[in-house]
Amino acid sequence: MVLFSFICLAVLPWSVYDDQPNAHQKFMEKLDACIRNHDREIEKMCNFHHQGFVDAITELLKVRADAEKLKVQVTDTNRRLQDAGKEVIAQTEEIIQCRLQQRNITTVVEKLQLCLPVLEMYSKLKEQMNVKRYYSALKTMEQLENICFPRVSQYRFCQIMIENLPKLREEIKEISMSDLKDFLESIRKHSDKIGETAMKQAQQQKTFNAALQKQNNLSYGRNVYINNDSVPETRNEMVLKQNLEEEEEHEDEVLTAHDLVDFSPVYRCLHIYSVLGDAETFENYYRKQRRKQARLVLQPQSNMHETVEGYRRYFSQIVGFFVVEDHILHVTQGLITRAYTDELWNMALSKIIAVLRTHSSYCTDPDLVLELKNLIVVFADTLQGYGFPVNRLFDLLFEIRDQYNETLLKKWAVLFRDIFEADNYSPIPVSNEEEYKIVISKFPFQDPELDKQCFPKKLPMSQSVPQIYIQVKEFIYASLKFSESLHRSSTEIDDMLRKSTNLLLTRTLSSCLQNLIKKPHIGLTELVQIIINTTHLEQACKYLEDFITNITNISQETVHTARLYGLSTFKSICKTIVEERSGSI
C-alpha cells in the first residue's frame, strides 16, 4: 500500500515537471527528498513497534518447543492411525466384494426365479408328450409362448425352446393323425358289431312295445291272430309279463356304440387340430375317409343273396357306420353336420335300394325273402330311430312284396300240383261222426240233406278240395307275414291280402286246373268231379273273405274292399274244356 502510494506520488511530480527545462533532474531531487522524509517516518514507526516485535518473537520461540512436541505426537498418532486403518481398509474391501457378490447373487436368483417357471413348464411339456397328453401339451405350449417366453426371450435356451415348439406341434399332428387312422380302422372293423347291437336293441324295443300292446289288447278282450275260422284263445297275462321281463333283461345287456368303440382318438384329434387352427383340414380328411369307408360298406358280397346271414352282415355294417356318424354328429361341434349325414345317407340309400333290388331278384325261396323283409324292417326301424328318413325303404318293400308273392305263387303251384296228382277224384267217404267232423273242420261244407243221411256216407267233393282250401288259408297267412311291420293301415293290408289271394286263385290255381284237365289220363268222370270240386271251392270263397276280414278287422261292406272272384273263372274254364271234350267224343 505504501509502495503504491509512493509510486503515485512519484508519477504526479513527473507530470508536473514534464514541460520545464532540466525537468528530469529536478524531479529526481524532489524524489530523493521525499524518500528521505519517508525513511525517517519508517524508522520512527519501527522504533515505536520494536519492543512488541521482540516480544512476539520471544513468544514464538516458546511455542516452537511445544509445536515440535505436538508434531511428534501427531506423527505418532498418524502412524498408529495408519496402522489401524490398514485392517479397516482390508475389511472394507472385503465388505465391498461381499456386497458385489450379494448383489450378483440377488440378480442371479431373480433371473433364476424368472427362468425356473419356464424350465419347469417346458419339462412339464416333455412329460405330457411322453404320456401322450397331446391336447394338454398344446395348451402348455400356448402358455409358454404367450406368458413365459416373452419374459426370458433374451436367453439362448429360450430361443432353442422357441425353435423346438413348431417341431413338437408337427409331431403332435402326426401322432394324432395316426391315432385317427387307427380309430377309422377300428370302427371299420367293428361297424358290423355296432350295427348288430343297434339292430338288436331296436328289435327288442319293438318286441317290448308289441308285447305291451298285446297285453293291452288282451285286457280289452281284443285278439290279433286268427287260427282257422275261429277266434283264438286268450293267452295268459302272466306269460306276457314274463316275456316283458325277459325283454327288459336282454335290453339292459345291449351295448351302445360308445361301449364298443373308443371315440377318444377322434375327440383328441379334433381338439388338437382346433387348437392348432387347422380344424378344417381335419374335418375334410375325416369326411373324405368316411366317404371311402361308406363306399366299401355299401359294396355287397357277390353271394349275399344266397343266405340271410349275408344280408344281415350287410345291414349290420351299414347300421354300424351310420350309428357311429350319428354319435360323432351329436358329441362333436362341427366335425360333421346334419346336412353332411343327410347327403351321405341319401347316397347310401340309393345304393342300398339298387343292391337290394338286384340281389333280391335272385331269391327264389319265399322264406328267405320273408327273412330279408324282416331284416329290412329292423334295418329301417333302427336307422329311423337315429333320425334317418327310411320311407324309400318301405317303398322298396312293396316291390319286394310283389316278388315275395311271386315266389309264394310258385311254391303254392307246386303244392297244388302235388295235391291234384295225389287226388283220386272221387267223393270223400266218411264212416262215422268223428271222420265227418275232421273233414268239416278243414273245409266249411254245409249240406242239410247230407246231414240227415246216416253213416257211412260220401261228401260230394274229393280229397283235394279241403287240402286246397287249407293251402289257400296258409297262403293268406304267408302273405300276411310279409305285411306285418310295414307301418300300413289295416285297409291297405286287407287290400294286399285280397289281391294276392285273387292272384293265387286266378293265376296259380287256375293254371294248375287247366294243366290238370288237359292231361290225357283225366277222363270224363274226373272232369265231372273237378267241376264239382271247383263249384265247392267257389262257394268257399265267401268263407275265405270272412277269414281275411277276421284277420284285418275290415268289414266287407267297406267301399274299397276287394272281392275274391277267381273261382268263377275256373268254373267257366272247366265247362269250356268239358264242352270241347264232349265235342271231340
Side-chain angles (χ1 to χ4, degrees):
M1 185 68 179
V2 174
L3 180 61
F4 179 74
S5 300
F6 175 76
I7 292 173
C8 290
L9 293 173
V11 173
L12 289 174
W14 175 268
S15 62
V16 173
Y17 296 102
D18 190 25
D19 295 332
Q20 297 180 7
N22 299 320
H24 180 269
Q25 183 177 359
K26 289 179 180 181
F27 174 74
M28 290 304 296
E29 289 177 356
K30 292 291 182 181
L31 183 59
D32 289 337
C34 185
I35 291 172
R36 284 193 296 271
N37 290 331
H38 280 292
D39 287 339
R40 283 192 296 270
E41 290 178 0
I42 292 171
E43 184 178 357
K44 287 179 182 180
M45 187 177 293
C46 289
N47 290 331
F48 179 78
H49 292 289
H50 176 71
Q51 187 60 43
F53 177 74
V54 172
D55 293 337
I57 292 299
T58 302
E59 289 293 330
L60 183 62
L61 291 174
K62 291 179 181 180
V63 172
R64 182 179 182 181
D66 295 334
E68 289 293 336
K69 183 178 179 180
L70 179 61
K71 179 180 179 181
V72 173
Q73 291 177 352
V74 169
T75 301
D76 182 60
T77 301
N78 180 58
R79 180 183 59 76
R80 288 188 287 108
L81 182 62
Q82 291 295 329
D83 292 339
K86 288 180 181 179
E87 184 177 355
V88 174
I89 291 173
Q91 292 179 353
T92 302
E93 290 179 352
E94 291 180 0
I95 291 174
I96 292 172
Q97 292 298 324
C98 290
R99 290 293 176 86
L100 289 175
Q101 291 176 359
Q102 183 180 7
R103 186 179 64 184
N104 292 338
I105 291 172
T106 302
T107 303
V108 170
V109 169
E110 291 176 355
K111 298 302 181 182
L112 285 176
Q113 289 177 345
L114 195 62
C115 295
L116 279 177
V118 180
L119 297 173
E120 290 175 355
M121 189 163 291
Y122 194 81
S123 175
K124 178 183 177 182
L125 171 62
K126 287 293 187 180
E127 182 180 355
Q128 289 170 340
M129 292 290 293
N130 293 334
V131 298
K132 300 181 179 181
R133 295 174 56 193
Y134 302 117
Y135 182 72
S136 301
L138 289 175
K139 290 298 184 182
T140 304
M141 290 184 193
E142 286 186 354
Q143 293 181 0
L144 284 171
E145 289 180 327
N146 299 328
I147 300 175
C148 298
F149 285 164
R151 300 175 181 174
V152 294
S153 58
Q154 68 272 24
Y155 300 110
R156 186 171 179 272
F157 77 88
C158 179
Q159 298 299 324
I160 296 175
M161 291 179 181
I162 293 175
E163 294 173 358
N164 198 31
L165 290 187
K167 299 178 183 178
L168 293 177
R169 284 194 174 95
E170 288 300 321
E171 181 182 352
I172 290 175
K173 288 180 68 174
E174 292 175 0
I175 294 174
S176 61
M177 184 57 69
S178 176
D179 292 342
L180 176 65
K181 291 177 180 179
D182 294 339
F183 166 78
L184 293 174
E185 181 64 20
S186 174
I187 60 176
R188 187 188 68 82
K189 292 180 179 179
H190 292 85
S191 61
D192 55 343
K193 182 64 175 177
I194 297 172
E196 180 182 349
T197 55
M199 291 174 69
K200 183 184 296 182
Q201 189 175 17
Q203 181 65 27
Q204 289 178 350
Q205 183 64 37
K206 182 178 179 181
T207 304
F208 174 79
N209 294 336
L212 187 61
Q213 183 64 37
K214 288 180 183 179
Q215 187 177 12
N216 293 335
N217 290 341
L218 287 173
S219 64
Y220 289 100
R222 297 177 183 175
N223 300 280
V224 178
Y225 294 102
I226 307 296
N227 294 324
N228 296 329
D229 296 332
S230 60
V231 177
E233 295 181 357
T234 303
R235 294 184 180 180
N236 193 317
E237 293 186 6
M238 295 300 295
V239 176
L240 281 176
K241 291 180 180 179
Q242 182 179 358
N243 291 337
L244 292 177
E245 293 174 355
E246 291 177 357
E247 292 298 333
E248 290 176 352
E249 292 178 359
H250 290 301
E251 188 174 359
D252 293 339
E253 298 173 358
V254 175
L255 300 176
T256 63
H258 188 72
D259 298 323
L260 296 172
V261 178
D262 180 15
F263 286 91
S264 59
V266 70
Y267 305 151
R268 184 166 54 248
C269 196
L270 175 60
H271 289 315
I272 287 172
Y273 273 77
S274 299
V275 171
L276 295 175
D278 204 11
E280 184 177 357
T281 300
F282 172 74
E283 293 170 7
N284 293 334
Y285 177 82
Y286 177 85
R287 296 183 183 185
K288 181 180 178 181
Q289 295 302 316
R290 289 297 281 166
R291 285 183 185 275
K292 290 181 179 179
Q293 289 187 348
R295 294 188 183 96
L296 292 176
V297 167
L298 295 172
Q299 189 66 31
Q301 295 181 352
S302 59
N303 61 342
M304 183 178 71
H305 60 277
E306 295 179 359
T307 61
V308 69
E309 291 302 323
Y311 288 107
R312 181 175 286 109
R313 179 174 176 80
Y314 180 68
F315 288 136
S316 296
Q317 289 179 343
I318 297 173
V319 171
F321 177 89
F322 283 100
V323 166
V324 169
E325 290 303 280
D326 181 78
H327 184 81
I328 294 295
L329 173 66
H330 287 89
V331 299
T332 60
Q333 296 294 332
L335 178 56
I336 59 175
T337 61
R338 174 58 68 181
Y340 162 79
T341 55
D342 290 343
E343 178 189 357
L344 197 61
W345 169 244
N346 290 331
M347 180 273 292
L349 189 58
S350 299
K351 178 67 175 178
I352 293 167
I353 291 174
V355 167
L356 292 178
R357 279 196 182 116
T358 301
H359 284 264
S360 63
S361 63
Y362 300 144
C363 295
T364 58
D365 182 6
D367 294 334
L368 180 58
V369 178
L370 183 61
E371 290 182 351
L372 172 60
K373 168 257 173 183
N374 292 331
L375 281 177
I376 294 175
V377 170
V378 175
F379 172 75
D381 289 343
T382 303
L383 289 175
Q384 189 175 34
Y386 286 93
F388 295 99
V390 294
N391 292 334
R392 293 171 61 188
L393 285 174
F394 286 102
D395 294 338
L396 173 67
L397 284 174
F398 279 90
E399 299 179 21
I400 298 178
R401 181 202 63 188
D402 296 336
Q403 180 185 347
Y404 175 72
N405 286 336
E406 289 297 324
T407 58
L408 287 180
L409 292 174
K410 292 178 181 179
K411 180 179 179 180
W412 259 256
V414 175
L415 294 174
F416 289 156
R417 284 197 298 267
D418 293 341
I419 291 173
F420 288 143
E421 290 178 1
D423 193 6
N424 56 9
Y425 298 101
S426 60
I428 301 175
V430 289
S431 58
N432 51 49
E433 183 72 19
E434 184 178 355
E435 291 181 2
Y436 180 75
K437 289 182 179 180
I438 292 175
V439 176
I440 296 303
S441 65
K442 295 179 181 178
F443 182 76
F445 174 74
Q446 294 179 357
D447 188 349
E449 296 296 330
L450 186 62
D451 291 341
K452 296 177 182 179
Q453 298 179 10
C454 299
F455 293 100
K457 53 187 175 182
K458 292 184 178 180
L459 302 180
M461 72 288 249
S462 65
Q463 291 288 348
S464 62
V465 173
Q467 294 177 3
I468 291 293
Y469 183 79
I470 291 174
Q471 289 303 321
V472 172
K473 289 171 63 176
E474 291 297 328
F475 177 87
I476 294 173
Y477 276 127
S479 182
L480 176 64
K481 288 181 180 179
F482 195 93
S483 301
E484 294 174 348
S485 305
L486 292 185
H487 306 293
R488 297 294 174 176
S489 65
S490 299
T491 302
E492 291 176 302
I493 294 176
D494 182 88
D495 186 63
M496 287 188 290
L497 290 178
R498 293 177 187 275
K499 286 181 179 179
S500 60
T501 306
N502 272 326
L503 283 176
L504 177 71
L505 299 177
T506 59
R507 195 173 76 182
T508 305
L509 186 54
S510 176
S511 176
C512 291
L513 282 172
Q514 291 181 43
N515 293 331
L516 174 64
I517 60 182
K518 289 180 180 179
K519 291 184 178 181
H521 69 276
I522 299 296
L524 187 58
T525 305
E526 287 81 4
L527 287 175
V528 172
Q529 185 62 53
I530 290 173
I531 293 174
I532 295 173
N533 292 346
T534 304
T535 302
H536 285 281
L537 287 174
E538 182 181 3
Q539 295 172 354
C541 284
K542 177 174 65 70
Y543 297 98
L544 291 176
E545 289 181 347
D546 293 339
F547 178 71
I548 295 175
T549 299
N550 290 333
I551 292 177
T552 60
N553 291 324
I554 300 298
S555 175
Q556 298 183 30
E557 283 73 22
T558 305
V559 176
H560 300 287
T561 302
R563 295 290 185 266
L564 299 183
Y565 53 85
L567 289 179
S568 60
T569 306
F570 307 158
K571 187 174 181 180
S572 61
I573 292 174
C574 291
K575 288 182 177 180
T576 302
I577 296 176
V578 169
E579 291 174 357
E580 292 178 357
R581 285 285 189 97
S582 300
S584 63
I585 293 174

